[in-house]
Amino acid sequence: MSVALSTPAPDGVNLDCRGDFPILNQAVHGQPLVYLDSAASAQQPQPVIDAVRYYQENDHANVHRGVHTLSQRATDAFEAARRRVASFVGASGEREIVFTRGTTEAINLAAFSFVEPRLNHGDEIVITHLEHHANIVPWQLLCERTGAKLVVVPIGDDGSVATEDFEARINKRTRFAAFAHVSNALGTVLPVAAMTRIAHAHEIPVLIDGAQGVPHGAVDVAAIDCDFYAFSGHKMYGPTGIGCLYARESVLTEMRPWQGGGDMILEVSFNGTTYNDIPFRFEAGTPNISGAVGLAAAIDYLEALGFDRIAEHERALLNYGTAALEGIPGLRIVGSAQGKVSVMSFAIDGLHPQDIGTLLDQQGVAVRTGHHCAMPVMQRFDLPGTARASLGIYNDVQDIDRLVAALRVAVDMLG
């Protein structure tokens, strides 16, 4: 199928960085690839690929424990990446940044190292109805182990979370609050600073799942005033298998170790162990050094583009894409909160999301289908799942036009 593309770009679509992403220069099923799955994993630009390759070809060795030159180079690169992350999120210093495998591991670290020792039977943890499974299941596990209770803040028909609903769930038994910065399933941007202020007014620590927040805008943990902020490299155009947990230095200092092994210790004997200083006591074993290098390069790339320009570009594409999708008979966009990011989840009457995704793929258009690791969201809207087109910095109007044309073909074939 060929599609004539002559639609002018709306104002604001001006990044013009698609050429930096070599993976996009390919055909799928004979059609040029349209990649609309950035909320699952964003693609990597050439500077990130080059940074990882340079490290692997020139500096690779294990970190922190070697006196030879390559080990010192690797350590320098790894710790430089930590400083880069600290600056990126507005931490007070690199001691507040723990490298993890990703957002999921970061949340579990906070849950089992910080929260679990503070829970008793009957205590409560507050989350919202739109959370990713990674910000639900760890808290359920804690509740099973301690007898605590999970309290869920509802979401509106547009997918939004009201601060008054959040505050109404807080009481004298509340011990912790955890919520997303941005919903991966709906694109909703939560009022995280306001929710954090409410929690802190009741002396309740807060964790923010920032996996979907960091690709779309500058993050300032000091301004938000959160106690923890977790995110992943692969959502923000970096490598997979690398992520971070920001935590206040005072909080990290009082947390117990989570995993045991090399580099999280200062001295070990059979009579006992002396643990390393923060953040190293939470980084047992050999870390993902090349991933950290790539993450730092991704931060450099995004900040060079400018988050204001990124937001303008994505907002213009989202508006264009929303209007275009609403013109398809039987299609319903799920999630319409004001100020949402560039995620378009949708359902089409009578069509299963997996069938939609399969037919789109046959036309070279990659979208995500299913529950998006957010089953409670799907249950809230009485859906088995949605098709989700998530836009990134490399997408353009032509990608939207290809999506719409492919969807019309799918509706004709399946309807």
Side-chain angles (χ1 to χ4, degrees):
M1 179 192 69
S2 62
V3 181
L5 303 173
S6 58
T7 310
D11 292 340
V13 181
N14 57 3
L15 287 182
D16 193 26
C17 63
R18 185 185 183 94
D20 293 339
F21 294 83
I23 197 170
L24 301 179
N25 299 320
Q26 63 176 291
V28 172
H29 298 299
Q31 295 290 335
L33 172 63
V34 173
Y35 188 80
L36 299 172
D37 195 21
S38 295
S41 276
Q43 298 298 343
Q44 298 175 35
Q46 194 66 53
V48 171
I49 297 170
D50 290 343
V52 172
R53 180 174 179 176
Y54 182 89
Y55 165 79
Q56 297 284 19
E57 291 181 343
N58 295 278
D59 296 334
H60 175 62
N62 215 322
V63 294
H64 298 149
R65 297 186 287 274
V67 297
H68 61 80
T69 298
L70 290 187
S71 178
Q72 292 174 7
R73 285 185 196 163
T75 299
D76 288 346
F78 186 66
E79 293 305 324
R82 193 191 307 274
R83 291 190 295 274
R84 189 69 185 90
V85 171
S87 173
F88 172 64
V89 299
S92 64
E94 63 265 29
R95 284 166 58 87
E96 297 187 326
I97 301 300
V98 178
F99 281 121
T100 65
R101 290 183 299 144
T103 307
T104 299
E105 185 172 78
I107 294 172
N108 277 270
L109 167 58
F112 290 97
S113 183
F114 178 81
V115 181
E116 185 178 29
R118 291 161 174 78
L119 285 182
N120 294 303
H121 185 87
D123 288 343
E124 296 180 358
I125 300 170
V126 177
I127 64 173
T128 81
H129 200 110
L130 54 63
E131 301 304 320
H132 187 283
H133 295 165
N135 204 29
I136 300 174
V137 179
W139 311 117
Q140 290 177 328
L141 291 172
L142 285 194
C143 289
E144 291 173 1
R145 289 164 63 149
T146 64
K149 177 183 177 183
L150 195 62
V151 176
V152 181
V153 181
I155 55 177
D157 291 340
D158 62 352
S160 63
V161 175
T163 54
E164 56 266 30
D165 288 336
F166 173 70
E167 188 163 20
R169 267 69 185 176
I170 293 175
N171 59 54
K172 63 181 181 180
R173 301 298 299 175
T174 307
R175 295 292 178 266
F176 198 75
F179 41 83
H181 195 163
V182 174
S183 164
N184 74 305
L186 304 179
T188 303
V189 180
L190 280 72
V192 292
M195 293 170 71
T196 299
R197 283 195 300 272
I198 292 168
H200 283 177
H202 296 271
E203 300 183 344
I204 298 166
V206 166
L207 177 143
I208 297 175
D209 172 357
Q212 299 294 334
V214 288
H216 301 290
V219 172
D220 187 341
V221 294
I224 297 171
D225 198 30
C226 55
D227 303 280
F228 299 93
Y229 193 95
F231 64 98
S232 299
H234 71 107
K235 307 291 189 184
M236 54 182 299
Y237 309 96
T240 58
I242 187 70
C244 300
L245 178 68
Y246 155 80
R248 300 180 191 275
E249 183 171 344
S250 59
V251 171
L252 283 177
T253 300
E254 64 180 79
M255 285 168 56
R256 66 186 185 186
W258 180 42
Q259 295 176 322
D263 212 32
M264 54 79 65
I265 52 84
L266 290 176
E267 184 176 341
V268 176
S269 74
F270 289 116
N271 295 321
T273 294
T274 302
Y275 301 118
N276 206 344
D277 199 359
I278 64 169
F280 309 111
R281 81 171 61 148
F282 304 108
E283 295 178 352
T286 299
N288 184 353
I289 309 164
S290 63
V293 169
L295 173 57
I299 291 171
D300 288 342
Y301 182 83
L302 289 174
E303 290 193 341
L305 284 179
F307 277 108
D308 288 344
R309 292 181 65 216
I310 290 171
E312 182 184 14
H313 173 86
E314 293 183 348
R315 184 165 49 250
L317 273 184
L318 176 64
N319 292 339
Y320 180 85
T322 300
L325 289 180
E326 287 175 342
I328 296 176
L331 186 146
R332 172 168 66 103
I333 293 179
V334 183
S336 57
Q338 291 294 313
K340 63 178 281 189
V341 302
S342 51
V343 169
M344 299 182 294
S345 285
F346 57 90
I348 300 178
D349 291 344
L351 305 187
H352 194 281
Q354 184 171 341
D355 294 335
I356 295 171
T358 300
L359 285 177
L360 293 186
D361 177 65
Q362 292 173 2
Q363 300 171 74
V365 179
V367 300
R368 181 71 44 168
T369 63
H371 53 69
H372 316 298
C373 291
M375 285 186 177
V377 174
M378 301 300 120
Q379 293 162 1
R380 166 64 175 80
F381 292 99
D382 195 25
L383 293 167
T386 64
R388 184 188 68 188
S390 51
L391 307 172
I393 56 178
Y394 33 64
N395 292 121
D396 54 26
V397 167
Q398 285 74 23
D399 291 339
I400 302 294
D401 290 344
R402 285 275 307 281
L403 169 66
V404 171
L407 280 171
R408 293 189 181 278
V409 171
V411 170
D412 288 343
M413 294 182 65
L414 297 172

